[in-house]
Amino acid sequence: MAEKEIQVVQNIFDENDRIAFATQEKLGKMGVFVVNIMGAPGAGKTSSIINLIQQLSENKVYVIEGDIESDIDTVKLKELGIEAIQINTNGACHLDAPTIQSSLDGLSFDKPGLLFIENIGNLVCPAEFQIGEHIKMLICSAAEGSDKPYKYPLAFEKADVILLTKCDLKTYVDFNDEFFLKGVRALNKTAPVFEVNAKTGQGFEDVAGWLLQRKG
Amino acid sequence: MHEYPITEQIIKIASEKAKENNARSITRITLVVGEQSGFIGESIQMYFDIISKDTLCEGAVLEMENIKAKWYCPDCNIHYARQPFSFACPDCGNDGMPTNIGKEFYVKDIEIETE
């Protein structure tokens, strides 16, 4: 019997990333632009999706709703006539590439357009996993406070675009714009930050314009 | 929950490499875990002890090499550990930039027993 050491050096995310790349490539070829929507519970992810879809009315939009156990958001989207499916993770804190890949059959993809994937409400784990997206959109509400970039740096670092929601609450929650933006810019030099209000729809036209430009 | 599928992946990577090398068993797996990888060594260990049963990895020692997260200041050309609630370089006080140091998460090597 002999003992020997074997070099491995294999990234534990390799398999997930390989599947994510295949999904991204497949949907990209079909003309479907994939947006991974990350944010804390209650940040306004679903409301932002609804506002964006209203602005993107010329485009076919698909939604995958990730949730731990409910289908409240999917029911809401379907009532609005949006093609949506539900994934329940039964406790898991994020979506991953195999889960998304196996759920794609649930959507028609009969036209080119955009696919919004609403990740689990969590500012930590979703930032660590590629799921097949072309871009990551981070939804962060003013009500959560201006210290979030400092407390959840990876989500801000990985974001391609940041939406600051519930901006009408800024004065009530003493939101410090300067502190927030300083943190965002230290972590991420390029992601645009859009201030929005899902109740009035304010700001979403600009986000939709940016998305379409990025989609190409 | 978060560490469970990741631990399965570690066992898969180690077992495949061991089989390629005609191993009878794996005695050690070394993981490199960055502080900002989002993974907790103790939690991986807990799942590992359960999931590795009846695999080539059963009984293997799981070793972790932890790596501290570092930021980079382009003005001073130094790497530094950031303080809570700040991204400032300790030398010049300007905000630096994040790096990949501290985000590592990979299987570095394994030790196997052969016939």
Side-chain angles (χ1 to χ4, degrees), chain A residues 23 27 34-38 49 62-66 87 95 100 103-104 115-120 131-133:
Chain A
T23 298
L27 292 173
V34 186
V35 184
N36 177 2
I37 298 193
M38 311 184 298
I49 290 172
Y62 310 89
V63 181
I64 296 176
E65 272 293 329
I87 295 178
L95 297 173
I100 294 300
S103 72
L104 293 177
L115 167 62
F116 291 117
I117 304 177
E118 183 173 337
N119 220 311
I120 306 299
I131 56 174
E133 70 272 39

Side-chain angles (χ1 to χ4, degrees), chain A:
Chain A
M1 193 159 59
E3 282 202 349
K4 69 178 175 180
E5 188 176 285
I6 314 278
Q7 294 297 311
V8 183
V9 191
Q10 185 172 345
N11 192 322
I12 294 156
F13 292 118
D14 277 357
E15 187 164 331
N16 182 78
D17 291 353
R18 184 181 55 74
I19 296 169
F21 181 70
T23 298
Q24 187 207 59
E25 211 177 24
K26 177 183 163 185
L27 292 173
K29 276 184 188 157
M30 293 158 70
V32 175
F33 186 68
V34 186
V35 184
N36 177 2
I37 298 193
M38 311 184 298
K45 295 185 293 301
T46 312
S47 303
S48 294
I49 290 172
I50 291 170
N51 272 271
L52 280 171
I53 291 174
Q54 282 162 352
Q55 293 291 337
L56 292 163
S57 55
E58 306 286 305
N59 299 267
K60 177 79 191 261
V61 176
Y62 310 89
V63 181
I64 296 176
E65 272 293 329
D67 242 321
I68 288 183
E69 60 178 46
S70 83
D71 67 347
I72 293 168
D73 294 338
T74 303
V75 169
K76 197 189 298 176
L77 292 166
K78 282 185 173 167
E79 279 171 3
L80 294 169
I82 297 162
E83 188 176 336
I85 54 161
Q86 180 73 44
I87 295 178
N88 287 129
T89 60
N90 296 319
C93 46
H94 61 272
L95 297 173
D96 59 16
T99 309
I100 294 300
Q101 189 186 45
S102 60
S103 72
L104 293 177
D105 289 344
L107 292 166
S108 70
F109 295 118
D110 56 350
K111 285 182 189 163
L114 295 97
L115 167 62
F116 291 117
I117 304 177
E118 183 173 337
N119 220 311
I120 306 299
N122 175 353
L123 268 182
V124 188
C125 328
E128 293 158 18
F129 290 82
Q130 306 271 6
I131 56 174
E133 70 272 39
H134 292 100
I135 61 162
K136 293 184 203 290
M137 175 182 280
L138 177 64
I139 312 268
C140 180
S141 73
E144 290 163 59
S146 32
D147 57 2
K148 288 300 157 292
Y150 303 85
K151 296 178 89 170
Y152 302 95
L154 192 66
F156 287 87
E157 187 184 328
K158 297 272 184 183
D160 295 289
V161 55
I162 297 167
L163 268 59
L164 184 62
T165 58
K166 308 187 189 184
C167 283
D168 52 331
L169 298 179
K170 271 187 183 178
T171 51
Y172 301 101
V173 296
D174 296 330
F175 189 83
N176 184 332
D177 285 285
E178 199 186 330
F179 185 55
F180 177 75
L181 284 171
K182 183 174 158 56
V184 170
R185 283 298 161 244
L187 289 156
N188 191 323
K189 299 274 184 280
T190 54
V193 178
F194 291 98
E195 298 202 357
V196 297
N197 179 347
K199 274 197 166 171
T200 62
Q202 195 186 342
F204 283 100
E205 193 180 344
D206 292 342
V207 183
W210 182 88
L211 267 179
L212 290 178
Q213 201 176 23
R214 186 68 192 258
K215 177 181 182 292

